[in-house]
Amino acid sequence: MTDQPDPAASAQETFISHLVELRTRIIRASAAILVVLVLLFPWAKEIYAALAAPLLKVLPAGATMIATDVTGTFLVPLKVTAMAAFLVALPYVLWQVWAFVAPGLYQHEKRLAIPVIFSSFVFFLIGMTFAYFVVFPVAFGFFAAYAPAGVTMMTDIDKYLSFVLAMFLAFGVTFEVPVVVIVLVRLGVVTIPKLKSIRSYVIVGAFVAGAIFTPPDVVSQLLLAIPLWLLYELGILMARFALPPAPAGDAAADEPAAK
Protein backbone atom coordinates (compact mmCIF):
# COMPACT_ATOMS: atom_id res chain seq x y z
CA MET A 1 0.00 0.00 0.00
CA THR A 2 1.32 3.48 -0.94
CA ASP A 3 1.72 5.84 2.00
CA GLN A 4 -0.50 8.91 1.64
CA PRO A 5 1.05 12.26 2.59
CA ASP A 6 -0.21 13.69 5.85
CA PRO A 7 -1.86 17.09 5.09
CA ALA A 8 -1.34 18.26 8.68
CA ALA A 9 2.38 17.45 8.60
CA SER A 10 2.75 19.14 5.21
CA ALA A 11 1.02 22.28 6.46
CA GLN A 12 3.25 22.34 9.54
CA GLU A 13 6.39 22.03 7.42
CA THR A 14 5.19 24.87 5.20
CA PHE A 15 4.49 27.05 8.25
CA ILE A 16 7.93 26.35 9.72
CA SER A 17 9.63 27.08 6.39
CA HIS A 18 7.82 30.42 6.24
CA LEU A 19 8.99 31.27 9.75
CA VAL A 20 12.57 30.42 8.82
CA GLU A 21 12.28 32.58 5.70
CA LEU A 22 10.84 35.46 7.73
CA ARG A 23 13.66 35.20 10.25
CA THR A 24 16.23 35.28 7.46
CA ARG A 25 14.68 38.40 5.92
CA ILE A 26 14.53 40.17 9.28
CA ILE A 27 18.18 39.33 10.02
CA ARG A 28 19.29 40.63 6.63
CA ALA A 29 17.33 43.87 6.98
CA SER A 30 18.60 44.43 10.54
CA ALA A 31 22.18 43.72 9.48
CA ALA A 32 21.93 46.29 6.69
CA ILE A 33 20.66 48.96 9.11
CA LEU A 34 23.42 48.10 11.62
CA VAL A 35 26.16 48.36 8.99
CA VAL A 36 24.92 51.79 7.86
CA LEU A 37 24.65 52.90 11.50
CA VAL A 38 28.27 51.96 12.16
CA LEU A 39 29.37 53.89 9.08
CA LEU A 40 27.39 57.00 10.04
CA PHE A 41 28.16 57.02 13.76
CA PRO A 42 31.32 59.19 13.51
CA TRP A 43 29.05 62.01 12.23
CA ALA A 44 26.32 61.53 14.86
CA LYS A 45 26.72 65.05 16.29
CA GLU A 46 26.54 66.67 12.88
CA ILE A 47 23.46 64.64 11.96
CA TYR A 48 21.70 65.72 15.14
CA ALA A 49 22.70 69.35 14.58
CA ALA A 50 21.06 69.23 11.15
CA LEU A 51 17.90 67.76 12.67
CA ALA A 52 17.77 70.43 15.38
CA ALA A 53 18.42 73.34 13.01
CA PRO A 54 14.72 74.25 12.40
CA LEU A 55 14.13 74.74 16.13
CA LEU A 56 17.43 76.45 16.88
CA LYS A 57 16.66 79.10 14.25
CA VAL A 58 13.55 80.31 16.10
CA LEU A 59 14.86 80.15 19.66
CA PRO A 60 15.45 83.50 21.38
CA ALA A 61 18.97 84.89 21.42
CA GLY A 62 21.09 83.00 23.92
CA ALA A 63 18.60 80.15 24.32
CA THR A 64 19.73 76.59 23.67
CA MET A 65 18.38 73.07 23.83
CA ILE A 66 19.00 71.13 27.04
CA ALA A 67 19.57 67.53 28.10
CA THR A 68 17.83 66.59 31.35
CA ASP A 69 19.14 63.02 31.25
CA VAL A 70 22.80 62.25 31.94
CA THR A 71 22.98 59.87 28.97
CA GLY A 72 20.92 62.10 26.69
CA THR A 73 23.90 63.81 25.07
CA PHE A 74 25.05 60.40 23.80
CA LEU A 75 21.83 58.44 23.29
CA VAL A 76 19.83 61.11 21.44
CA PRO A 77 22.43 61.66 18.68
CA LEU A 78 22.72 57.87 18.49
CA LYS A 79 18.97 57.53 18.00
CA VAL A 80 18.99 60.20 15.31
CA THR A 81 21.83 58.45 13.54
CA ALA A 82 19.93 55.17 13.77
CA MET A 83 16.96 56.87 12.13
CA ALA A 84 19.21 58.14 9.35
CA ALA A 85 20.68 54.65 8.95
CA PHE A 86 17.18 53.19 8.64
CA LEU A 87 16.33 55.68 5.90
CA VAL A 88 19.51 54.91 3.98
CA ALA A 89 18.88 51.17 4.25
CA LEU A 90 15.13 51.48 3.65
CA PRO A 91 15.22 50.42 -0.04
CA TYR A 92 16.99 47.19 0.94
CA VAL A 93 14.58 46.66 3.86
CA LEU A 94 11.59 47.10 1.54
CA TRP A 95 13.14 44.68 -0.91
CA GLN A 96 13.45 42.06 1.83
CA VAL A 97 9.79 42.55 2.69
CA TRP A 98 8.85 42.11 -0.95
CA ALA A 99 11.03 39.03 -1.34
CA PHE A 100 9.15 37.43 1.53
CA VAL A 101 5.65 38.07 0.15
CA ALA A 102 6.43 37.74 -3.58
CA PRO A 103 6.28 33.89 -3.77
CA GLY A 104 2.60 34.03 -2.84
CA LEU A 105 1.71 36.50 -5.59
CA TYR A 106 0.77 36.06 -9.23
CA GLN A 107 3.21 36.98 -11.98
CA HIS A 108 1.46 40.23 -12.89
CA GLU A 109 1.53 41.22 -9.21
CA LYS A 110 5.26 40.54 -8.98
CA ARG A 111 5.86 43.08 -11.74
CA LEU A 112 4.84 45.74 -9.22
CA ALA A 113 7.91 45.05 -7.06
CA ILE A 114 10.39 47.63 -8.30
CA PRO A 115 7.84 50.43 -8.95
CA VAL A 116 6.22 49.97 -5.53
CA ILE A 117 9.53 49.80 -3.65
CA PHE A 118 10.99 52.80 -5.45
CA SER A 119 7.86 54.96 -5.24
CA SER A 120 7.28 54.08 -1.57
CA PHE A 121 10.82 55.12 -0.71
CA VAL A 122 10.63 58.34 -2.72
CA PHE A 123 7.23 59.42 -1.39
CA PHE A 124 8.25 58.72 2.20
CA LEU A 125 11.34 60.89 1.76
CA ILE A 126 9.24 63.62 0.15
CA GLY A 127 6.92 63.54 3.16
CA MET A 128 9.81 63.88 5.58
CA THR A 129 11.35 66.66 3.50
CA PHE A 130 8.03 68.51 3.47
CA ALA A 131 7.82 68.21 7.26
CA TYR A 132 11.41 69.42 7.75
CA PHE A 133 11.39 72.40 5.40
CA VAL A 134 7.74 73.51 5.56
CA VAL A 135 5.98 72.23 8.67
CA PHE A 136 8.78 72.54 11.24
CA PRO A 137 9.51 76.25 10.63
CA VAL A 138 5.78 77.04 10.85
CA ALA A 139 5.15 74.96 13.97
CA PHE A 140 8.28 76.02 15.84
CA GLY A 141 7.75 79.65 14.90
CA PHE A 142 4.21 79.42 16.30
CA PHE A 143 5.42 77.96 19.60
CA ALA A 144 8.23 80.52 19.95
CA ALA A 145 5.92 83.46 19.19
CA TYR A 146 3.36 82.44 21.80
CA ALA A 147 5.80 81.83 24.66
CA PRO A 148 4.48 83.70 27.75
CA ALA A 149 6.39 86.72 29.03
CA GLY A 150 9.25 85.71 31.29
CA VAL A 151 9.37 82.14 29.90
CA THR A 152 12.40 81.09 27.86
CA MET A 153 11.81 78.31 25.36
CA MET A 154 14.46 75.65 26.06
CA THR A 155 13.43 72.24 24.75
CA ASP A 156 14.84 68.96 26.04
CA ILE A 157 16.64 67.15 23.22
CA ASP A 158 14.97 63.80 23.95
CA LYS A 159 11.46 65.29 23.84
CA TYR A 160 12.41 67.16 20.68
CA LEU A 161 13.50 63.91 19.06
CA SER A 162 10.22 62.22 20.00
CA PHE A 163 8.25 65.09 18.50
CA VAL A 164 10.30 65.12 15.31
CA LEU A 165 10.03 61.35 14.83
CA ALA A 166 6.26 61.49 15.28
CA MET A 167 6.00 64.27 12.68
CA PHE A 168 8.30 62.49 10.25
CA LEU A 169 6.26 59.32 10.58
CA ALA A 170 2.96 61.16 10.17
CA PHE A 171 4.02 63.00 7.02
CA GLY A 172 5.99 60.07 5.60
CA VAL A 173 2.95 57.79 5.87
CA THR A 174 0.68 60.54 4.55
CA PHE A 175 2.73 60.88 1.40
CA GLU A 176 2.40 57.13 0.79
CA VAL A 177 -1.29 57.57 -0.02
CA PRO A 178 -0.85 57.66 -3.84
CA VAL A 179 1.19 54.45 -3.74
CA VAL A 180 -1.41 52.69 -1.59
CA VAL A 181 -4.26 53.82 -3.83
CA ILE A 182 -2.52 52.71 -7.02
CA VAL A 183 -1.57 49.31 -5.59
CA LEU A 184 -5.11 48.66 -4.34
CA VAL A 185 -6.56 49.52 -7.74
CA ARG A 186 -3.94 47.50 -9.56
CA LEU A 187 -4.65 44.42 -7.42
CA GLY A 188 -8.37 44.80 -7.96
CA VAL A 189 -9.10 45.35 -4.27
CA VAL A 190 -10.96 48.58 -4.96
CA THR A 191 -12.19 50.41 -8.05
CA ILE A 192 -11.77 54.03 -9.08
CA PRO A 193 -15.54 54.73 -8.85
CA LYS A 194 -15.49 53.38 -5.30
CA LEU A 195 -12.56 55.63 -4.40
CA LYS A 196 -14.46 58.63 -5.77
CA SER A 197 -17.59 57.69 -3.84
CA ILE A 198 -15.75 57.79 -0.49
CA ARG A 199 -13.96 61.06 -1.24
CA SER A 200 -15.99 63.02 1.33
CA TYR A 201 -15.06 60.55 4.07
CA VAL A 202 -11.39 60.78 3.11
CA ILE A 203 -11.50 64.58 3.33
CA VAL A 204 -13.04 64.45 6.80
CA GLY A 205 -10.50 61.81 7.83
CA ALA A 206 -7.66 63.98 6.52
CA PHE A 207 -8.65 66.88 8.76
CA VAL A 208 -9.14 64.55 11.73
CA ALA A 209 -5.64 63.15 11.13
CA GLY A 210 -4.28 66.68 10.89
CA ALA A 211 -5.84 67.55 14.25
CA ILE A 212 -4.44 64.40 15.90
CA PHE A 213 -0.91 64.16 14.52
CA THR A 214 0.18 67.80 14.26
CA PRO A 215 0.72 70.64 16.75
CA PRO A 216 -2.39 72.52 17.92
CA ASP A 217 -2.00 75.46 15.56
CA VAL A 218 -4.38 75.55 12.60
CA VAL A 219 -1.68 76.11 9.99
CA SER A 220 0.21 72.92 10.88
CA GLN A 221 -3.03 70.95 10.83
CA LEU A 222 -3.85 72.27 7.37
CA LEU A 223 -0.34 71.42 6.20
CA LEU A 224 -1.11 67.76 6.87
CA ALA A 225 -4.80 67.62 5.97
CA ILE A 226 -4.64 69.40 2.62
CA PRO A 227 -1.66 67.39 1.25
CA LEU A 228 -3.36 64.18 2.42
CA TRP A 229 -6.49 65.07 0.46
CA LEU A 230 -4.52 66.18 -2.62
CA LEU A 231 -2.38 63.04 -2.52
CA TYR A 232 -5.53 60.93 -2.44
CA GLU A 233 -6.75 62.75 -5.55
CA LEU A 234 -3.34 62.23 -7.16
CA GLY A 235 -3.59 58.51 -6.40
CA ILE A 236 -7.00 58.32 -8.10
CA LEU A 237 -5.64 60.18 -11.13
CA MET A 238 -2.56 57.97 -11.45
CA ALA A 239 -4.57 54.80 -10.82
CA ARG A 240 -6.20 55.25 -14.22
CA PHE A 241 -2.90 54.16 -15.74
CA ALA A 242 -2.57 51.13 -13.44
CA LEU A 243 -5.89 49.33 -13.90
CA PRO A 244 -5.74 45.55 -13.36
CA PRO A 245 -5.37 43.35 -16.46
CA ALA A 246 -8.49 41.85 -17.94
CA PRO A 247 -9.29 38.35 -16.61
CA ALA A 248 -8.23 35.45 -18.80
CA GLY A 249 -11.86 34.42 -19.23
CA ASP A 250 -12.79 37.80 -20.68
CA ALA A 251 -9.85 37.68 -23.06
CA ALA A 252 -10.86 34.22 -24.22
CA ALA A 253 -14.43 35.34 -24.72
CA ASP A 254 -13.26 38.14 -26.98
CA GLU A 255 -11.41 35.72 -29.25
CA PRO A 256 -13.31 34.37 -32.27
CA ALA A 257 -14.81 30.94 -31.72
CA ALA A 258 -12.96 28.07 -33.37
CA LYS A 259 -14.71 26.52 -36.35
Side-chain angles (χ1 to χ4, degrees):
M1 178 181 293
T2 305
D3 293 336
Q4 297 295 330
D6 185 358
S10 178
Q12 183 178 5
E13 291 178 0
T14 302
F15 178 73
I16 294 176
S17 65
H18 287 167
L19 287 180
V20 172
E21 176 71 11
L22 177 61
R23 182 190 64 180
T24 301
R25 299 298 177 183
I26 293 176
I27 291 176
R28 290 179 180 178
S30 302
I33 297 173
L34 182 60
V35 169
V36 178
L37 173 61
V38 172
L39 295 176
L40 292 179
F41 183 74
W43 295 275
K45 293 182 179 179
E46 289 77 8
I47 294 174
Y48 179 81
L51 184 69
L55 178 59
L56 294 176
K57 290 179 180 179
V58 301
L59 289 179
T64 62
M65 301 180 69
I66 61 175
T68 57
D69 190 357
V70 175
T71 61
T73 54
F74 171 77
L75 290 181
V76 173
L78 177 62
K79 293 177 182 178
V80 175
T81 307
M83 180 185 70
F86 174 75
L87 290 176
V88 173
L90 186 56
Y92 182 78
V93 173
L94 293 175
W95 180 260
Q96 291 299 319
V97 174
W98 180 265
F100 177 73
V101 302
L105 302 178
Y106 294 105
Q107 188 62 37
H108 69 276
E109 295 171 343
K110 293 181 180 180
R111 297 193 190 101
L112 293 174
I114 294 179
V116 167
I117 291 174
F118 178 77
S119 59
S120 298
F121 178 65
V122 170
F123 275 97
F124 195 89
L125 286 184
I126 293 175
M128 293 183 62
T129 303
F130 181 81
Y132 183 86
F133 288 103
V134 178
V135 179
F136 286 177
V138 172
F140 297 153
F142 171 83
F143 294 144
Y146 281 88
V151 176
T152 302
M153 184 177 178
M154 301 178 67
T155 304
D156 177 68
I157 59 174
D158 195 18
K159 293 182 178 179
Y160 174 76
L161 175 61
S162 299
F163 174 83
V164 167
L165 289 180
M167 295 291 284
F168 277 159
L169 181 61
F171 280 88
V173 173
T174 295
F175 275 70
E176 295 290 337
V177 168
V179 180
V180 174
V181 171
I182 293 172
V183 170
L184 291 178
V185 172
R186 177 66 180 179
L187 297 179
V189 176
V190 68
T191 62
I192 294 179
K194 181 63 176 179
L195 292 172
K196 292 181 178 180
S197 68
I198 63 174
R199 177 183 284 121
S200 59
Y201 299 99
V202 172
I203 295 174
V204 173
F207 282 90
V208 171
I212 295 175
F213 296 108
T214 61
D217 63 293
V218 176
V219 177
S220 296
Q221 295 172 5
L222 292 177
L223 287 176
L224 178 65
I226 293 178
L228 179 56
W229 170 33
L230 295 179
L231 289 165
Y232 181 78
E233 299 293 342
L234 176 63
I236 295 177
L237 180 64
M238 297 176 63
R240 298 178 182 273
F241 304 98
L243 294 174
D250 295 344
D254 293 337
E255 295 178 0
K259 296 182 179 179

